[in-house]
Amino acid sequence: MASLLAAMRALRAGVERSRALSHALAGPGSGRSGRGSRRLRRACARSCAPRDALEGAGECVDRAVGPAAAVLKVFDAVHGLEPPLLAASAAADDLPGYLAVLSRLEEALHFLSDNCGIASQWLADIVEYLGDRSLADPRFVSDLAEALSHLKTPSANLDGGLLAAALDILEAEFRRLLTEHSAPLAMKEPNNSSDPGSITPPRIPASAVHKLSLILDRLAANGRLGTCTAAYADARGDTVSASLRALGLDYLHDPAEDAQVLTPNVEHWGRHLEFAVRHLLEAERKLCVAVFERRPEAASSCFAEIASRAGILDFLKFGRAICDARKDPIKLLRLLDVFDSLSKLRMDFNRLFGGKACVEIQTRTRELVKRVVDGSVEIFEELLVQVELQRNMPPPADGGVPRIVSFVAKYCNQLLGDPYRSVLTQVLVIHRSWRKETFNDKMLVDAVLNIVKALEANFEAWSKAYEDVTLSYLFMMNTHWHFFKHLKGTKMGEILGDEWLREHEQYKDYYSAVFLRESWGTLAPLLSREGIILFSKGRATARDLVKQRLKSFNANFDEMYQKQSAWIISDRDLQQKTCHLVVQAIVPVYRSFMQNYGPLVDQQDASANKYVKFTAEGLDKMLSTLFLPKPRRAGSFQIRHSNGKITSAMTGLYRSSSTLK
């Protein structure tokens, strides 16, 4: 610009002299005006060039000076824009006014870019003309030519860096607006993601969004769109990430390998993912569209970066960790939980992450869904096989209900109840469709019924494994009653039907009666009154018979009591009822026997305690505490793999059914 100004000043001076000389040459003859003659002589004294050459120079100078003067006028206007554009708070105080001034600068620079080179070329042509015809001092012509050589090609810095400085100010204002309205939210654990109280309120007012959009338009028009998207993604991505971290998402980064341990985290994961997608990221998507209104591709790429920074991929990685957890039946429920959460959010995922910019999220989501479906079907189809394999496992030594029975009863109820029935059906339908096969809800019910029937078949095999037949009766009584009680009034009970349930109740009654008859029922005959005569001649014989029968009773009672003290009846009501029946079978008979014949033994001082070891009340108390459940260690449900090896991976089937969620 300085070179152009210097050249213009020199040319302006030359033009003035040329005009004066031309005017003198075109005036009246020398005899008409002494003044004109003097002017001509003075002009000619400054130039020795021919008259016709001077006349031609004047016309050329006039043609070049007009555009050059216009360019200079625009340069003067550009200088006038410096104060309002470089003011520190101008953009923040009056953004529309600042953008209007910037628009004037852009128009001026556009004019200069189009015309400065042409004007400088015309000026250079004039300088060359003056030099070729020796119409000016050669040194002056040389200096002027050198100054103009820098202006022949339009420069990107015609404004001396004013536009770049103004754009820097706009960038700073863009970041300031984002920072001012991008503080992390004060989050709390959402009890229910559909609760209106948990929906995220708007975080950037419409006025600020409008300002951001205006600034973005100007910066993008000047090649700074990438800078804007990076700044926007940084601010908004960090804000959403910080807001979610307040919910406590550490579990996403260090998942356990046990599905049982993962259970509470899976519940949190489903709520947190739904909250993040439907509220936080939904709001961010709308905000991106509003700010990048006329640039949809930039909005998509920016939102993809925000979603990534917010941790959406971490949520998907946690789902993958559930797929990689050790295989057991509890894992099936957790996989169904994951599938259910993803299924509910399917439309949201398609809408938010459907563009090219979110291809990684799409890929990871598809991979997760496939692994969840495959893993769920694999475990479900193995359940029947694993239940059948338990037939070869030893039954509980105390005659109690095997934990697999408790587990399967409750587990199958869950699979056929809400919400797992519909989710599992959907998973199986999808998996079968990949194999060009069909599946429906009835097929699911039949598959679960087959599992229950396989478990029923195990009862007989387990009962035959006991060496003590009376213990096998107790086991069968326990197990059939447990099945009846825990399936009656449930979804499984409805499917199996009342007749099926009554059969188990009848089995319980049958084995209860057989157990009492074959064990405690054998003690009462030991206290028979047969042969005991109390008249004087038979008193000694009677006393011997009473001692003998008490001794036999005591020995058999002690043996049976010690043995059955280690046995249990799992159900409290059944335990009390069975104890009552045992008491009724023994105590009244013992009390009557002792009332009638006890005095015979009591008369024997030293030996009385050898035969009278119990009172009727003592027997009642002892027998009433039989079969109480005791703390038991968790067993394991072993799984046989295709390679023939047996591991205890599916330990969940022997865990307490109370752990099911």
Side-chain angles (χ1 to χ4, degrees):
M1 190 185 295
S3 300
L4 181 60
L5 290 173
M8 289 300 299
R9 283 194 293 268
L11 284 174
R12 188 175 286 135
V15 168
E16 292 296 332
R17 289 195 298 272
S18 297
R19 283 178 177 172
L21 181 59
S22 177
H23 181 73
L25 291 173
S30 58
R32 292 185 181 182
S33 173
R35 180 181 178 186
S37 179
R38 289 192 297 272
R39 291 171 61 188
L40 178 60
R41 286 195 298 271
R42 285 197 300 270
C44 289
R46 296 172 183 172
S47 177
C48 298
R51 175 177 176 177
D52 57 345
L54 291 174
E55 289 179 347
E59 294 176 359
C60 291
V61 167
D62 285 341
R63 285 197 304 269
V65 167
V71 169
L72 279 178
K73 187 175 181 180
V74 173
F75 269 118
D76 290 338
V78 168
H79 281 295
L81 298 178
E82 287 186 9
L85 287 178
L86 298 182
S89 61
D93 295 341
D94 182 13
L95 180 62
Y98 189 87
L99 292 175
V101 175
L102 180 61
S103 179
R104 290 168 56 192
L105 173 62
E106 291 174 330
E107 291 176 1
L109 293 179
H110 182 71
F111 176 85
L112 292 176
S113 178
D114 291 344
N115 296 281
C116 186
I118 298 175
S120 63
Q121 183 61 51
W122 284 4
L123 291 175
D125 291 343
I126 293 301
V127 171
E128 184 179 356
Y129 182 90
L130 294 176
D132 291 343
R133 290 163 177 74
S134 300
L135 298 180
D137 181 19
R139 190 188 314 173
F140 166 74
V141 171
S142 176
D143 293 342
L144 191 58
E146 183 180 358
L148 288 173
S149 66
H150 301 293
L151 299 173
K152 288 182 180 180
T153 302
S155 172
N157 198 28
L158 292 174
D159 62 343
L162 179 58
L163 177 61
L167 295 176
D168 289 342
I169 290 175
L170 277 183
E171 277 189 21
E173 178 62 11
F174 190 81
R175 287 187 170 89
R176 186 193 70 80
L177 287 170
L178 286 173
T179 302
E180 181 178 333
H181 299 286
S182 294
L185 299 174
M187 303 290 289
K188 62 180 181 178
E189 171 71 27
N191 294 325
N192 186 342
S193 58
S194 63
D195 180 5
S198 68
I199 296 178
T200 307
R203 288 153 293 169
I204 296 186
S207 58
V209 172
H210 181 63
K211 289 180 179 180
L212 288 170
S213 182
L214 291 176
I215 294 173
L216 179 67
D217 285 343
R218 296 319 319 139
L219 292 174
N222 287 279
R224 297 199 181 192
L225 179 61
T227 304
C228 292
T229 55
Y232 187 92
D234 284 342
R236 299 309 307 166
D238 291 347
T239 298
V240 178
S241 178
S243 299
L244 283 174
R245 281 198 304 271
L247 296 177
L249 302 182
D250 292 342
Y251 67 87
L252 294 179
H253 307 287
D254 189 23
E257 296 181 358
D258 190 332
Q260 187 73 34
V261 178
L262 279 170
T263 294
N265 288 338
V266 174
E267 295 173 355
H268 293 318
W269 178 84
R271 292 198 303 270
H272 290 161
L273 178 61
E274 184 174 356
F275 186 78
V277 170
R278 287 189 171 171
H279 302 305
L280 295 181
L281 292 179
E282 179 72 31
E284 290 302 322
R285 177 67 177 178
K286 291 179 180 178
L287 187 58
C288 271
V289 171
V291 173
F292 296 85
E293 183 179 4
R294 284 174 287 279
R295 292 168 178 82
E297 291 187 1
S300 296
S301 63
C302 197
F303 174 72
E305 180 65 21
I306 292 171
S308 178
R309 288 175 182 244
I312 189 66
L313 293 178
D314 290 334
F315 279 100
L316 298 177
K317 287 178 182 177
F318 180 82
R320 175 67 178 267
I322 298 171
C323 297
D324 295 337
R326 286 192 296 268
K327 185 169 60 175
D328 70 27
I330 296 296
K331 179 180 174 180
L332 172 57
L333 301 183
R334 301 295 76 83
L335 290 175
L336 294 178
D337 290 335
V338 171
F339 182 87
D340 189 36
S341 295
L342 294 175
S343 180
K344 289 176 180 176
L345 296 174
R346 183 172 61 87
M347 299 301 294
D348 303 274
F349 265 69
N350 291 341
R351 185 180 67 258
L352 295 179
F353 311 122
K356 294 180 180 179
C358 296
V359 64
E360 183 178 6
I361 297 175
Q362 299 167 23
T363 301
R364 296 282 187 88
T365 304
R366 284 195 297 269
E367 291 175 350
L368 176 58
V369 170
K370 187 175 190 313
R371 286 181 63 86
V372 167
V373 170
D374 288 341
S376 300
V377 173
E378 180 183 6
I379 295 175
F380 180 73
E381 291 181 346
E382 283 186 357
L383 287 174
L384 176 60
V385 176
Q386 298 309 319
V387 169
E388 291 174 342
L389 287 175
Q390 294 306 299
R391 209 164 290 168
N392 300 320
M393 300 295 291
D398 55 13
V401 179
R403 285 197 169 94
I404 184 178
V405 175
S406 303
F407 184 92
V408 170
K410 193 165 187 179
Y411 189 78
C412 290
N413 263 319
Q414 283 192 292
L415 291 181
L416 293 183
D418 294 329
Y420 291 114
R421 179 171 180 169
S422 60
V423 178
L424 180 55
T425 301
Q426 187 178 0
V427 166
L428 291 167
V429 167
I430 292 173
H431 189 266
R432 293 292 178 87
S433 69
W434 294 343
R435 299 188 300 188
K436 309 299 183 182
E437 299 175 1
T438 60
F439 193 86
N440 54 48
D441 184 69
K442 183 180 183 301
M443 296 170 69
L444 171 63
V445 173
D446 290 342
V448 175
L449 287 178
N450 288 335
I451 295 173
V452 174
K453 292 175 180 178
L455 185 60
E456 283 185 284
N458 290 357
F459 296 172
E460 192 68 28
W462 285 332
S463 70
K464 292 178 180 178
Y466 289 106
E467 294 182 1
D468 190 325
V469 66
T470 57
L471 180 56
S472 71
Y473 299 149
L474 181 78
F475 166 79
M476 293 293 272
M477 176 186 70
N478 263 326
T479 306
H480 282 286
W481 177 247
H482 183 89
F483 234 38
F484 170 79
K485 187 170 182 180
H486 286 80
L487 291 178
K488 183 179 181 181
T490 66
K491 191 67 178 177
M492 275 298 304
E494 294 177 8
I495 294 173
L496 292 166
D498 292 339
E499 183 178 352
W500 183 91
L501 291 173
R502 280 195 300 271
E503 285 181 1
H504 283 282
E505 185 178 24
Q506 291 167 0
Y507 276 127
K508 182 269 298 182
D509 293 337
Y510 168 77
Y511 284 110
S512 175
V514 174
F515 168 74
L516 289 171
R517 185 183 70 236
E518 298 297 325
S519 58
W520 297 101
T522 61
L523 296 184
L526 298 177
L527 298 178
S528 170
R529 301 184 183 188
E530 184 179 353
I532 301 177
I533 302 173
L534 297 180
F535 55 84
S536 57
K537 289 184 180 180
R539 194 172 188 84
T541 303
R543 184 164 43 248
D544 291 338
L545 287 174
V546 169
K547 288 181 180 181
Q548 181 182 351
R549 291 175 184 176
L550 283 175
K551 182 179 180 180
S552 178
F553 174 85
N554 292 338
N556 282 273
F557 180 88
D558 285 339
E559 179 185 358
M560 194 171 298
Y561 183 82
Q562 291 299 323
K563 179 174 62 175
Q564 297 197 17
S565 291
W567 300 354
I568 69 169
I569 297 177
S570 306
D571 183 76
R572 179 62 175 170
D573 292 337
L574 183 58
Q575 181 265 338
Q576 291 180 344
K577 182 178 180 180
T578 303
C579 286
H580 177 72
L581 293 175
V582 172
V583 168
Q584 292 301 310
I586 296 173
V587 173
V589 175
Y590 184 81
R591 179 182 290 113
S592 175
F593 187 85
M594 291 303 297
Q595 287 174 350
N596 291 317
Y597 308 113
L600 292 176
V601 182
D602 289 343
Q603 295 175 3
Q604 305 296 316
D605 299 333
S607 62
N609 292 334
K610 291 174 55 178
Y611 304 104
V612 184
K613 297 179 62 175
F614 310 103
T615 64
E617 291 74 17
L619 283 178
D620 192 328
K621 186 175 182 180
M622 291 174 65
L623 294 173
S624 296
T625 59
L626 281 172
F627 313 123
L628 290 175
K630 302 170 183 63
R632 300 165 64 184
R633 295 193 309 170
S636 64
F637 176 30
Q638 295 181 336
I639 175 172
R640 185 181 299 274
H641 297 285
S642 57
N643 58 10
K645 295 182 179 179
I646 295 179
T647 65
S648 57
M650 300 183 75
T651 55
L653 275 180
Y654 251 139
R655 293 177 182 172
S656 171
S657 59
S658 62
T659 62
L660 283 173
K661 299 232 177 159

